[in-house]
Amino acid sequence: MEKIEWQIKNQNAKYKFSENLSKETSINISKEIFDFLGAKRSGDIITVTLRKKDFLLAFSKLISNLPLYYYRNGSQKADFNSDFFDTNYNEIEEQFGTNERINYQVKIRINDETTTRYYLYRVDGTKNFILRDFLIGENSVLNFIKTDNGEFIVEPVIIITKKEESLRHNTEPDNSSTNIYPTQTIYYGVPGSGKSHKIDEATKGLPDEQKMRVVFHPEYTNADFVGQILPVQTEKGLEYPFKAGPFTRILKRALKNPDKTYYLIIEEINRGNAAAIFGDLFQLLDRDSDGWSSYSIENLDINAYIRSENERYSEKSPPTTKQIGNIEYTENTSIRLPPNLSLYATMNTSDQNVFTLDNAFQRRWDMQLVKNECTDTNQMDATITVNNQSITWKDFQETINAVIGEKSNEGGLSSMEDKRLGCWFVKAENGEIKASVFADKVLKYLWDDAFKFYHQEMFKGDIKNFEELHKTFLAKGFSVFSDECRLGEKLQSADTSKNSESSSE
C-alpha cells in the first residue's frame, strides 16, 4: 500500500477564517498526486473510493472544533445554527446510504499549462457531494492511498492540534512550540469604512514593540521594506552596514520571542508596487499547518541581521551561530516567517494611481470586505448646517452613495461603486460636522473623484471649477446639489444662529 498526504491550504477548504466562504468545488493538488493517481492529461476522470467512517470522523471533529476556531480568530462567518449538524450529516447519509464504501469520480485538471497547477474537480452527477465541504483550511489533510490491488482511496483527516499531527507521524511533539497561528488578511472597502480601525481593534492592547506599521506608496521599494546598505559615520570613519527595514526588524523580534504575537501592518498595500516591494519575500507568504512558511528564501543580509547583537545595524562579522528563540541560526539558515508573525493590510481600490494586486499575490491572503456600516450614533447623527438648512451625516452619506451606485450601473463603470463615501470619511466633533470641513473634504472628493464625469448633472448652475463650488456651497448651502441627488427630502430647517456660526468657518 502506498500513501501520499496533501495539506489543504486555506483557499481549498470550505471552512476558513475569512468573509470569503467560497462555493468552489476544486482542490489544488501537486504534480506528485497527479502522477500518483495515474492521470496522463488534463480532463482525465479518475475513480476513487470514499469510506463512510472517514467522513463521519472528519465531520465529528469539524462540528466539535469549528465554533472554537472561529471564536479564537475573531470570526463569525459560519452559521452554527440548529440545522448545521443535520444538514451536513444528512449529506453524508444521502451520499453513502447503507454502503460503507462508494466510488467517487473526480476530474484531474491542469488549470494553466504555463504555471502547471493541478486541480481535483468534482464530476457532475455525484449528488453534489463535495470533498472540500468537510475540510478546514490549514487544519485538514487529504490522504491519497493506493491499495495493493490498485484501488485509490481518498481519506479526509482533520488535524486539531500540532500535538495530534505529531502523533499521527509517530514523532515526539515539539513542546517548545506555541498554539499561535498567523493571520494574513487584507481588509478592503470604500474610503473611510474603518479598515485601519479594524486592525487597531485586532491588535488592541499590544505594546508598540509587537507591532510594525508601514505605508506603501509609489516610491516605496524593496530596499525600504527589507533593508539596505547605507553609509554611517562612526568613530572609526565611514562605514557601510546593513540598515534593516521594517519587515526585517519585526521578523527578528518575532523569532526571538516565539511566545508573543507580532504584527506587520501594511497600510494602502496597493498604492505601491507590492510585487516589487515584496520581491522574493513573496515565497514566504505560503504557510504550512504549523504556521511556518511553506518555502524559504536565502538572504544573507537578513540572516546576518538576525544573528547580530545590534537591533538597528548588523555588525561586519555577526556571530557564526546564534540562538534565536527556539532556532539555532547559522550562516546557512534559510529565512521563513514564524507562526507568531501575522500580516495585516488595508486596500482602498478607489484611490488614484494604485497598482493592481495580481491573483497569485492575493490568493496568499484572506480578503475581508469591511462593510460600509457604522453603529456610532455620535458619528452618524452628526449634522452639517449651512444656509439655515441641516442634514445628518447618515442621511447625506446614504443618499449620495445610492446615487453613486446608480451612476455606476448607468455608465458601466465598475469602479464607481468603490467611490462611495465611508462612514468615517469625515469625523464629527461634538455632534457636528462643520460646513467648512465638509466643503474641504467631502465636496472636494465628490467633485474630483466620485462625480468627476457628472459635474453638470450633480451640481446646479454653470459651476466651472471646485473653487467656485466651494464658495457657492458656503453661501447657499445644499442648493448647489441638483435635484438628481435627492437631498431635498432629507434637509431640515436649522437655527439661524447656528447656521451663521457654521457658515463663517
Side-chain angles (χ1 to χ4, degrees):
M1 184 179 72
E2 300 176 67
K3 183 174 77 171
I4 296 180
E5 291 184 356
W6 182 244
Q7 178 70 47
I8 298 299
K9 300 297 183 184
N10 200 37
Q11 66 269 19
N12 292 316
K14 177 178 180 179
Y15 298 104
K16 49 194 173 187
F17 309 123
S18 69
E19 294 278 3
N20 181 24
L21 294 179
S22 175
K23 295 182 180 178
E24 288 288 330
T25 63
S26 61
I27 297 175
N28 172 252
I29 59 173
S30 65
K31 177 65 162 62
E32 184 181 15
I33 294 173
F34 180 88
D35 294 335
F36 181 78
L37 292 173
K40 302 297 183 184
R41 63 187 66 83
S42 181
D44 281 358
I45 296 176
I46 307 294
T47 299
V48 299
T49 297
L50 305 182
R51 298 180 299 201
K52 187 175 184 178
K53 67 180 183 66
D54 297 331
F55 281 85
L56 288 176
L57 178 60
F59 177 56
S60 67
K61 287 188 176 183
L62 186 148
I63 62 172
S64 60
N65 287 274
L66 265 182
L68 180 60
Y69 279 10
Y70 278 90
Y71 171 76
R72 286 177 174 172
N73 284 267
S75 177
Q76 298 289 332
K77 281 73 184 182
D79 186 10
F80 303 114
N81 55 33
S82 59
D83 296 331
F84 179 76
F85 176 89
D86 290 341
T87 301
N88 289 273
Y89 179 78
N90 290 340
E91 189 174 328
I92 297 175
E93 284 295 323
E94 180 183 357
Q95 180 67 29
F96 285 87
T98 58
N99 301 314
E100 292 300 318
R101 299 156 66 97
I102 60 169
N103 289 334
Y104 188 83
Q105 289 187 322
V106 291
K107 181 186 293 184
I108 309 296
R109 178 176 168 183
I110 303 176
N111 194 45
D112 186 343
E113 293 285 357
T114 60
T115 56
T116 58
R117 287 189 181 143
Y118 303 87
Y119 293 86
L120 201 68
Y121 277 81
R122 173 181 64 84
V123 176
D124 291 337
T126 54
K127 298 183 181 179
N128 294 322
F129 193 70
I130 302 171
L131 291 178
R132 63 188 283 162
D133 283 359
F134 300 91
L135 303 173
I136 305 175
E138 307 290 354
N139 287 277
S140 292
V141 167
L142 274 185
N143 288 333
F144 292 86
I145 304 167
K146 185 178 182 180
T147 64
D148 294 338
N149 62 5
E151 177 188 27
F152 291 109
I153 298 173
V154 177
E155 173 191 40
V157 177
I158 292 181
I159 305 166
I160 304 305
T161 64
K162 184 170 178 61
K163 181 178 180 180
E164 181 177 336
E165 181 182 10
S166 64
L167 291 176
R168 283 197 316 114
H169 293 284
N170 298 315
T171 60
E172 289 298 320
D174 181 5
N175 293 323
S176 63
S177 66
T178 69
N179 290 324
I180 299 173
Y181 193 80
T183 296
Q184 282 178 188
T185 304
I186 296 177
Y187 292 108
Y188 66 99
V190 301
S193 58
K195 300 180 289 293
S196 296
H197 177 72
K198 198 169 184 68
I199 293 175
D200 289 341
E201 286 295 308
T203 59
K204 190 175 182 179
L206 286 178
D208 290 342
E209 186 269 339
Q210 290 175 241
K211 296 181 283 189
M212 185 75 69
R213 197 177 225 105
V214 299
V215 181
F216 281 8
H217 55 80
E219 300 302 317
Y220 200 75
T221 66
N222 178 263
D224 297 317
F225 190 49
V226 178
Q228 55 192 312
I229 304 296
L230 290 175
V232 175
Q233 184 67 45
T234 68
E235 294 178 356
K236 299 179 181 180
L238 198 61
E239 295 185 358
Y240 296 87
F242 172 74
K243 181 181 179 182
F247 170 84
T248 306
R249 296 202 302 275
I250 197 72
L251 172 62
K252 181 176 180 178
R253 295 178 197 175
L255 289 169
K256 288 173 64 178
N257 303 284
D259 294 329
K260 296 181 180 180
T261 54
Y262 288 81
Y263 295 89
L264 176 61
I265 302 166
I266 304 171
E267 299 280 8
E268 310 289 355
I269 191 170
N270 63 332
R271 293 194 68 228
N273 188 341
I277 294 170
F278 270 83
D280 58 355
L281 301 181
F282 172 84
Q283 283 284 96
L284 306 182
L285 296 178
D286 270 321
R287 304 278 193 128
D288 280 333
S289 60
D290 59 2
W292 285 91
S293 295
S294 303
Y295 311 105
S296 63
I297 63 168
E298 299 288 334
N299 189 301
L300 298 180
D301 288 326
I302 295 179
N303 180 297
Y305 174 77
I306 290 172
R307 288 182 288 117
S308 71
E309 301 293 340
N310 197 319
E311 175 66 21
R312 184 171 175 82
Y313 295 106
S314 61
E315 297 88 352
K316 288 183 178 179
S317 301
T320 303
T321 302
K322 177 74 174 178
Q323 187 72 25
I324 306 293
N326 299 325
I327 303 172
E328 189 175 87
Y329 258 81
T330 71
E331 295 173 332
N332 298 319
T333 303
S334 298
I335 306 302
R336 294 177 188 267
L337 297 183
N340 61 325
L341 178 56
S342 291
L343 281 71
Y344 281 124
T346 64
M347 184 170 73
N348 182 0
T349 54
S350 70
D351 279 341
Q352 304 299 311
N353 302 318
V354 298
F355 291 81
T356 301
L357 297 182
D358 60 75
N359 291 332
F361 188 88
Q362 287 193 51
R363 80 172 184 84
R364 287 165 168 81
W365 300 74
D366 286 332
M367 305 291 291
Q368 284 200 25
L369 171 67
V370 179
K371 296 179 181 179
N372 193 19
E373 299 173 350
C374 178
T375 58
D376 189 331
T377 55
N378 292 326
Q379 170 70 14
M380 300 310 291
D381 292 342
T383 58
I384 309 108
T385 303
V386 63
N387 193 36
N388 202 32
Q389 286 182 325
S390 68
I391 187 172
T392 66
W393 170 241
K394 180 178 186 293
D395 285 341
F396 179 86
Q397 181 229 17
E398 289 182 350
T399 303
I400 289 298
N401 282 347
V403 175
I404 292 174
E406 290 172 4
K407 288 299 177 186
S408 174
N409 294 331
E410 288 177 11
L413 302 174
S414 59
S415 63
M416 273 290 290
E417 191 170 347
D418 290 333
K419 294 186 180 296
R420 292 172 298 160
L421 291 166
C423 297
W424 296 94
F425 188 92
V426 60
K427 292 184 180 180
E429 293 183 11
N430 301 319
E432 180 186 7
I433 297 173
K434 294 180 179 179
S436 58
V437 174
F438 179 88
D440 289 334
K441 293 193 69 174
V442 180
L443 271 187
K444 183 180 186 304
Y445 176 73
L446 295 177
W447 178 269
D448 288 342
D449 289 275
F451 296 147
K452 183 176 182 179
F453 302 107
Y454 301 99
H455 289 165
Q456 299 301 318
E457 296 177 52
M458 297 295 105
F459 302 105
K460 286 182 180 178
D462 188 20
I463 297 177
K464 299 179 178 60
N465 51 58
F466 175 70
E467 184 177 346
E468 185 178 339
L469 176 65
H470 189 285
K471 181 179 179 181
T472 304
F473 173 77
L474 293 180
K476 299 182 178 180
F478 294 96
S479 62
V480 298
F481 289 93
S482 69
D483 294 339
E484 190 169 343
C485 290
R486 301 193 296 276
L487 292 175
E489 59 192 44
K490 302 290 185 180
L491 295 174
Q492 299 177 358
S493 298
D495 293 337
T496 306
S497 59
K498 189 175 182 180
N499 167 65
S500 59
E501 182 181 337
S502 298
S503 299
S504 63
E505 294 291 340

